[in-house]
Amino acid sequence: MENIHSVREPLGETTDVEVWLGRAGLKFADLGHDDASKAIRKQWREYQAAVQKCCVALRQPPELVQLSGAYAKLRIPGDKSIANDESILNS
């Protein structure tokens, strides 16, 4: 019988860059000065802005909210579909 209470993905959002990077199997020390690292840093700033906006709107801490819609792509660092989509990043 399947355990319906098992959680495979962390629930909620984070304000810790190491936790966020860990979702993609990365560490802060892995980031350099190349274009991919710059895109990940930019994505982190966009992620944090979206998390803060969501927390204020819902009056909840980051751990109790989860980004959805277009912003859900920000949850995983280095997602190429978000790194190249300026319309979402500037929303």
Side-chain angles (χ1 to χ4, degrees), residues 11 15 20-21 29 33 35 38 47 53 58-59 61 69-71 86 91:
L11 296 176
T15 56
W20 182 75
L21 287 168
H33 298 289
D35 289 341
K38 289 177 185 176
Y47 170 78
K53 185 177 180 179
L58 298 174
R59 297 183 182 174
Y71 294 104
E86 290 297 320
S91 297

Side-chain angles (χ1 to χ4, degrees), residues 29-47:
D30 295 335
L31 299 179
H33 298 289
D34 57 30
D35 289 341
S37 294
K38 289 177 185 176
I40 290 171
R41 285 187 179 93
K42 182 177 180 178
Q43 186 180 347
W44 167 250
R45 291 188 301 272
E46 295 296 329
Y47 170 78

